[in-house]
Amino acid sequence: MNYETIIGLEVHVELKTNTKIFCGCKNDSKSEPNTNVCPVCMGHPGALPVLNREAVDLALRAATALNCTINQQSKFDRKNYFYPDSPKGYQISQFDKPIGEHGYIEIEVGGEKKRIGITRLHLEEDAGKSTHAPDGSHTLVDFNRTGVPLIEIVSEPDMRTPEEARLYLEALKSIMQYCDVSDCKMEEGSLRCDANVSLRPVGESKFGNKAELKNMNSFRNVQRGLEYEVERQTKVYNDGGDVAQETRRFDEATQTTISMRSKEEAHDYRYFPEPDLVDLAIDDAWLDRVRTTLPELPLAKRLRYEAQLGLPAYDAGVLTADPLVASYYEQVLATNVDAKAASNWVMSDVLGGLNNEGKSPAECPISPEHLGGLIAEVSSGKISSKQAREVFKTMWETGKSAKEIIKEQGMEQISDVSVLGPILDEVIANNEKSVADFKGGKDRAIAALVGQVMKATKGKANPALVNQLLIEKIQAL
Amino acid sequence: MKLHSVTEILTSIEKGETTALDWTKASLDAVRQVDSELEAFLTVDEDSALDRAAKAETGLLNGVPYALKDNICTEGVRTTAASRILENYIPPYSATVANKLQAAGGVLIGKTNLDEFAMGSTTETSAFKKTKNPYSKGCVPGGSSGGSAAAVAAGIVPFALGSDTGGSIRQPAAFCGVFGLKPTYGRVSRYGLIAFASSLDQIGPFTNTAQDAALVMNAICGHDAYDSTSAKVEAEDFTRDLDLGVKGLRIGIVRNLPEEGLNKALKQAVDEAIRKLEGAGAQVVDVELPHSQYAVATYYLIAPAEASSNLSRYDGVRFGRRAEASSMIDMFEQSRSQGFGMEVKRRIIIGTYALSSGYYDAYYKRAQQMRTLIRQDYEKAFEQCDVIIMPTTPTTAFPFGDKADDPLAMYLNDIYTIPANLAGIPGASVPCGFVDGLPVGFQVLAKPFAESTILRVSHAYEQLRDFSWPTPELGVAE
């Protein structure tokens, strides 16, 4: 039987505020364990939460960027559960009145645009971090992360393939980075993804039992985990079984999913309105300020690159995925170089180099101005593109400008006819056979002569000019 | 030296007749003299008190000794909420009210006994000791702020703070013959008050007079950035209107007040007080509170629901009692099982049930709807009158153990005080007589932020009151 795959994602994004969501502690979970803590985030008796406006501001930016309807009147609720790293025994979250609802993200699948619905976006506090001793004898808890502001973004079950899920997640990350609300480092947990996946026979409207996948810490794992799960569930159905409603975890080592707990252990969170906080009112002025200060988002930027700069869709997509890359590219463009040439350099050389060294675009050793300078040297014919690659390598290592390197290494192309003239004459004189071949109609023979000139000038001669001068000289013989 | 009122102490120090140290020593002497029998204190901080009194300070309450209910956190001083689970808990921070009283120059003598986590009406559910009613050793002092009420009534301190979730200041004030004020919800910061039911809890003073309460209120009120629910209302001088009298003021008397179990002599004493105020020019009007019969039921869903959540932080992980156990879940269970007393467990179970999926709509949600109706009752009533007067309690203080095994009978003891917490309005209990040697109080209620009206009526009555005031059995001798 043919099955349709139904995927929905729940994504948690850590907001990069200065302080935690309900107290004045530094928002930095990477400090020495239990150093960024106070009575409020440790849940001490009598301590009360006070909402951090900056967290609301960032959540609003995210919700607006995701095309959500903003609930200008929202509230916080308690979600009750016991766990050692949940200091109060409940998490302050938003239940029936989230900040944002009914949004969407557009992705491109096989050249077709597809809209993935966003059910809700709400604010909540993070829990602490437990480290279990391998022998199970004890658990250590670090409360630095307790109270770090999170937004949870819940999608509609609109994705039909693991690839779509990955594309959605990539688009979501890109938008979050553009709004500057989060670092979105999946490997460090500032972007966390859970997926719900189920199958149903094609044509049926009822959903099958779903598995919830947790613990996927890279885009690749999200796709791999979902692919495995689709295969697994297909097999269960084909074998005449029924898929259990359960929570599973993706195991990186085996590239499979493993059952964590079944539905029978489901929690009763006993949500109720948080009595220690007043309702959250967002006035029009606040909302307007968020709307007007929101930057150009990745999709709009991509379309603009295609229309205004004439870049191919592929280039525009690569350059706009990460706002730091787009910003780098735009700074290169600002030096008045050709858009496509700049795109080629950024996409292949810069991104390739960063990728090899595991660096972020912010750490690029070549400044956009210097890259623009290099491109200008090529287009003005001062150096060949082959030389340019070497200059680029040196720029990467030294941080010097192209001009400096070209000068230091004496790389300027020889385009001076008075300098080239005698060399050409000598080459023509010493290569009678090639000259004769060319005269006899063998056009390709000219390449050998150009090669000789380049050799004689140690590669510095302007090849296009040499080519042109050689033809003129031979024809004049 | 017997401790008198806050006003007298301030005047005496101001005139240079006495010093802060004199009063602090007197207060500590009084503890030694009485508290072994009274058992109002859980912790007495003698060294800090003397140290503090020795330092010259300026402030609204300069040199005045006081006590705090032991559910108000004090940095470095053990704070237990009268629970085994916090038996050795020393808070790393102080409640806003504790900071404010310290800034005003007050001298903290110690921490007073209460029902465990403020859950009770007798102070019998304290895990540590049973505070006695100063007027009859065999009777309860009321609760949950029984220790604070008894400490003021016995003359150990001129004022003490308590907390009131369903009557926990007003009821013990009535039982112990002192003045007790529950301010408007949000008037006084709850930061540092160990939560029972967050949407109902409010800190307030026990004093000998309304004037003293006004002085204490001046020191503890105000918006607090650490408590989001604290009201952004301008600070006022609560002593300003004290002497305005009651001429022309409208006193609301509730028609159809549930009178089942209401002691006749007690009712007479309250009626007599109203007549005195009428004689002084107040006008009596009838008002209706149609939903008040549902107040107790409503309260006993909302308060335990919030409590069940508020108390989940006591899990043995970060502070307080931790039981030895082989697994994490066992550790949670054993810590809580050993640390909490019966009444606390009862309310956690009721609250957990009321919030659980499948019952939320039937219980918690309905209770919230009823709460709105009760609040609206008061809004309507206060269109017709300035204050409402009724008995604080149906009976005088009762003997220990009398209702300890009958929680429902116990809960009904708060029938007149609970609605004010549900409505968020202020209320006070004013001593107005004695029945069989035990104190009786009447309750004055007003609309939100009208504490000054309550204090004005109470003060006016205090000038008119003429019954004979028996000496407490357990009190500081003259």
Side-chain angles (χ1 to χ4, degrees):
Chain A
M1 201 189 293
N2 282 330
Y3 297 100
E4 184 180 30
T5 304
I6 314 288
I7 300 170
L9 298 187
E10 288 171 18
V11 178
H12 284 92
V13 178
E14 260 184 23
L15 298 178
K16 54 175 184 187
T17 51
N18 291 311
T19 54
K20 293 184 180 182
I21 184 166
F22 296 123
C23 67
C25 288
K26 209 169 137 198
N27 174 4
D28 178 8
S29 42
K30 289 186 285 292
S31 306
E32 260 313 273
N34 298 310
T35 51
N36 297 324
V37 294
C38 73
V40 175
C41 58
M42 291 289 276
H44 269 259
L48 298 172
V50 177
L51 181 60
N52 178 354
R53 294 267 140 183
E54 193 192 358
V56 179
D57 201 57
L58 296 186
L60 271 181
R61 289 170 70 82
T64 308
L66 296 176
N67 310 295
C68 287
T69 306
I70 305 295
N71 286 322
Q72 287 184 255
Q73 296 291 326
S74 76
K75 68 174 175 56
F76 288 91
D77 301 273
R78 289 188 186 176
K79 180 181 181 179
N80 293 281
Y81 68 95
F82 279 99
Y83 205 73
D85 58 21
S86 160
K88 298 186 292 296
Y90 55 84
Q91 178 192 31
I92 304 177
S93 180
Q94 294 189 301
F95 181 55
D96 55 349
K97 272 192 194 165
I99 278 202
E101 290 178 283
H102 315 303
Y104 63 86
I105 286 182
E106 264 178 5
I107 57 171
E108 217 172 79
V109 191
E112 301 260 318
K113 281 201 171 56
K114 181 167 178 181
R115 192 174 268 208
I116 310 292
I118 287 168
T119 316
R120 56 184 280 142
L121 179 151
H122 70 253
L123 258 176
E124 61 186 30
E125 59 180 339
D126 208 344
K129 198 177 165 192
S130 298
T131 308
H132 306 284
D135 64 356
S137 63
H138 62 276
T139 296
L140 300 174
V141 195
D142 176 8
F143 292 99
N144 282 346
R145 203 177 65 182
T146 308
V148 165
L150 297 179
I151 46 174
E152 181 175 343
I153 301 155
V154 181
S155 84
E156 292 287 316
D158 285 349
M159 288 153 275
R160 292 292 167 269
T161 64
E163 188 203 3
E164 284 182 22
R166 179 179 52 81
L167 289 170
Y168 164 84
L169 194 59
E170 282 174 358
L172 180 64
K173 177 188 175 188
S174 176
I175 293 168
M176 292 301 112
Q177 287 179 320
Y178 267 78
C179 309
D180 203 22
V181 302
S182 174
D183 291 335
C184 291
K185 290 185 180 162
M186 247 185 135
E187 65 288 358
E188 287 177 16
S190 61
L191 183 105
R192 284 168 251 165
C193 177
D194 299 339
N196 287 308
V197 53
S198 65
L199 300 184
R200 66 178 169 198
V202 171
E204 203 159 294
S205 60
K206 206 172 139 268
F207 294 111
N209 275 346
K210 66 184 183 193
E212 191 185 5
L213 281 190
K214 291 198 174 279
N215 202 28
M216 296 177 291
N217 58 3
S218 73
F219 291 102
R220 200 175 151 269
N221 282 354
V222 170
Q223 187 164 350
R224 270 301 298 140
L226 287 169
E227 280 166 359
Y228 178 84
E229 197 50 31
V230 171
E231 273 171 47
R232 187 188 71 87
Q233 293 188 16
T234 305
K235 190 165 183 303
V236 171
Y237 283 126
N238 284 341
D239 291 350
D242 200 10
V243 168
Q245 185 123 343
E246 61 183 354
T247 302
R248 300 176 71 86
R249 136 185 110 74
F250 180 69
D251 184 72
E252 226 181 326
T254 58
Q255 297 280 302
T256 61
T257 65
I258 297 162
S259 180
M260 282 169 80
R261 56 176 181 262
S262 66
K263 195 193 169 193
E264 284 70 47
E265 295 163 60
H267 283 108
D268 182 352
Y269 290 119
R270 307 190 314 280
Y271 279 100
F272 76 103
E274 166 58 274
D276 286 332
L277 289 169
V278 288
D279 288 357
L280 173 58
I282 295 152
D283 60 20
D284 293 338
W286 192 354
L287 207 52
D288 285 347
R289 202 165 58 242
V290 167
R291 284 192 179 125
T292 51
T293 56
L294 214 56
E296 184 183 31
L297 294 171
L299 182 64
K301 200 182 270 289
R302 204 183 79 199
L303 297 176
R304 180 168 67 81
Y305 280 11
E306 290 179 39
Q308 230 176 56
L309 305 175
L311 290 185
Y314 176 79
D315 290 36
V318 173
L319 293 174
T320 56
D322 182 333
L324 291 176
V325 174
S327 153
Y328 185 93
Y329 174 70
E330 284 173 23
Q331 289 174 65
V332 176
L333 273 192
T335 63
N336 278 318
V337 294
D338 178 65
K340 178 59 183 157
S343 164
N344 291 345
W345 278 101
V346 172
M347 283 201 305
S348 55
D349 300 89
V350 173
L351 291 183
L354 292 173
N355 204 28
N356 280 341
E357 297 183 9
K359 283 183 171 154
S360 102
E363 300 166 309
C364 182
I366 298 177
S367 73
E369 294 74 25
H370 281 184
L371 184 64
L374 174 66
I375 297 167
E377 297 295 341
V378 181
S379 65
S380 72
K382 219 170 186 184
I383 55 171
S384 67
S385 11
K386 196 173 159 231
Q387 284 176 311
R389 299 262 171 256
E390 287 186 22
V391 175
F392 183 88
K393 225 181 126 208
T394 315
M395 287 170 81
W396 192 277
E397 285 155 7
T398 63
K400 288 180 181 169
S401 73
K403 261 202 168 63
E404 259 182 287
I405 294 165
I406 290 166
K407 201 170 171 199
E408 275 174 17
Q409 307 204 349
M411 278 176 135
E412 284 104 333
Q413 272 189 19
I414 305 169
S415 300
D416 189 336
V417 180
S418 63
V419 178
L420 288 176
I423 303 170
L424 290 182
D425 291 341
E426 204 183 323
V427 168
I428 290 170
N430 295 340
N431 292 279
E432 279 174 17
K433 187 172 181 299
S434 296
V435 173
D437 283 351
F438 182 69
K439 277 187 144 177
K442 273 193 177 171
D443 286 354
R444 281 175 58 204
I446 199 81
L449 295 168
V450 172
Q452 289 297 319
V453 176
M454 295 312 283
K455 198 177 167 190
T457 57
K458 289 178 182 139
K460 284 196 220 167
N462 179 340
L465 185 62
V466 169
N467 200 68
Q468 181 203 329
L469 288 175
L470 274 173
I471 293 168
E472 281 172 19
K473 278 189 185 278
I474 293 169
Q475 279 169 349
L477 279 177
Chain B
M1 184 161 69
K2 180 171 159 57
L3 285 179
H4 294 276
S5 72
V6 174
T7 313
E8 284 165 327
I9 292 173
L10 287 171
T11 310
S12 161
I13 293 178
E14 203 175 301
K15 284 184 180 160
E17 295 163 0
T18 55
T19 64
L21 200 55
D22 294 336
W23 294 109
T24 300
K25 281 179 177 160
S27 187
L28 292 167
D29 282 346
V31 172
R32 276 188 287 272
Q33 199 182 321
V34 181
D35 205 51
S36 57
E37 274 195 86
L38 186 67
E39 299 197 272
F41 283 83
L42 290 176
T43 302
V44 176
D45 194 11
E46 189 163 338
D47 292 345
S48 300
L50 289 171
D51 194 42
R52 173 117 193 89
K55 289 178 189 148
E57 298 278 349
T58 53
L60 291 170
L61 295 170
N62 185 18
V64 181
Y66 69 93
L68 291 176
K69 186 178 182 179
D70 204 32
N71 60 352
I72 297 172
C73 287
T74 40
E75 185 178 352
V77 180
R78 194 174 75 116
T79 304
T80 67
S83 180
R84 290 261 172 244
I85 213 158
L86 286 175
E87 188 164 5
N88 298 310
Y89 178 64
I90 296 175
Y93 77 109
S94 283
T96 297
V97 288
N99 286 330
K100 281 184 172 249
L101 289 176
Q102 167 126 352
V107 178
L108 177 67
I109 299 297
K111 309 292 290 287
T112 55
N113 198 18
L114 64 150
D115 281 299
E116 184 179 0
F117 284 106
M119 295 177 188
S121 309
T122 59
T123 314
E124 285 171 292
T125 72
S126 165
F128 306 118
K129 49 174 70 164
K130 283 188 170 60
T131 301
K132 316 294 182 295
N133 189 309
Y135 287 93
S136 170
K137 261 198 295 192
C139 287
V140 301
S144 65
S145 312
S148 285
V152 174
I156 297 176
V157 281
F159 83 91
L161 295 191
S163 66
D164 189 315
T165 307
S168 284
I169 289 174
R170 291 159 288 158
Q171 185 256 22
F175 277 13
C176 292
V178 294
F179 184 83
L181 172 67
K182 179 204 99 74
T184 310
Y185 182 78
R187 245 312 182 185
V188 178
S189 169
R190 289 186 296 116
Y191 188 71
L193 170 67
I194 296 179
F196 162 13
S198 310
S199 75
L200 302 162
D201 295 343
Q202 186 58 208
I203 293 173
F206 289 93
T207 54
N208 290 298
T209 63
Q211 183 174 17
D212 280 7
L215 290 169
V216 176
M217 285 289 282
N218 281 350
I220 63 172
C221 284
H223 174 68
D224 179 14
Y226 290 98
D227 176 1
S228 309
T229 63
S230 88
K232 286 184 179 129
V233 176
E234 254 182 75
E236 61 181 281
D237 179 0
F238 291 97
T239 62
R240 193 193 53 212
D241 294 347
L242 280 176
D243 292 319
L244 290 184
V246 291
K247 201 153 193 264
L249 216 75
R250 295 164 303 166
I251 295 173
I253 307 295
V254 184
R255 239 185 301 148
N256 307 324
L257 189 75
E259 293 194 356
E260 208 183 298
L262 176 59
N263 179 305
K264 280 208 179 74
L266 185 152
K267 185 174 187 302
Q268 272 172 14
V270 175
D271 288 344
E272 175 59 28
I274 294 168
R275 268 198 299 279
K276 281 207 155 58
L277 288 165
E278 239 183 317
Q283 185 198 337
V284 169
V285 296
D286 277 356
V287 294
E288 271 187 277
L289 298 172
H291 297 95
S292 56
Q293 57 179 310
Y294 304 111
V296 173
T298 301
Y299 175 86
Y300 278 99
L301 285 169
I302 291 174
E306 292 183 13
S308 72
S309 173
N310 283 332
L311 295 180
S312 49
R313 68 190 62 208
Y314 305 103
D315 56 10
V317 175
R318 298 163 312 287
F319 45 75
R321 187 192 190 90
R322 177 188 290 178
E324 285 299 321
S326 54
S327 78
M328 177 183 94
I329 299 290
D330 272 356
M331 191 274 280
F332 289 167
E333 282 180 5
Q334 291 303 317
S335 299
R336 293 170 67 79
S337 176
Q338 295 165 15
F340 289 138
M342 195 51 120
E343 183 61 25
V344 171
K345 285 176 183 166
R346 179 182 292 130
R347 296 199 195 192
I348 289 173
I349 289 166
I350 292 172
T352 304
Y353 184 79
L355 286 176
S356 60
S357 63
Y359 299 98
Y360 181 92
D361 286 350
Y363 295 115
Y364 182 79
K365 201 171 161 195
R366 297 274 287 176
Q368 288 292 19
Q369 288 165 340
M370 183 52 73
R371 183 177 185 174
T372 303
L373 294 175
I374 290 169
R375 184 167 51 235
Q376 287 166 351
D377 278 358
Y378 280 91
E379 280 166 14
K380 275 187 208 130
F382 286 122
E383 285 169 10
Q384 296 163 268
C385 64
D386 300 292
V387 293
I388 292 172
I389 291 182
M390 64 171 84
T392 308
T393 56
T395 66
T396 54
F398 42 84
F400 283 102
D402 216 26
K403 297 181 182 179
D405 299 327
D406 187 352
L408 286 182
M410 182 76 85
Y411 296 168
L412 282 171
N413 197 250
D414 302 331
I415 187 166
Y416 300 138
T417 50
I418 277 172
N421 300 80
L422 292 171
I425 60 171
S429 180
V430 190
C432 66
F434 285 79
V435 170
D436 300 330
L438 288 167
V440 169
F442 68 82
Q443 188 177 203
V444 195
L445 301 164
K447 63 181 155 199
F449 304 103
E451 285 87 351
S452 59
T453 310
I454 290 174
L455 292 166
R456 169 184 166 190
V457 172
S458 307
H459 182 72
Y461 172 73
E462 284 168 5
Q463 317 305 307
L464 301 165
R465 128 180 112 184
D466 60 359
F467 54 87
S468 67
W469 204 298
T471 311
E473 270 182 40
L474 294 167
V476 181
E478 286 288 344

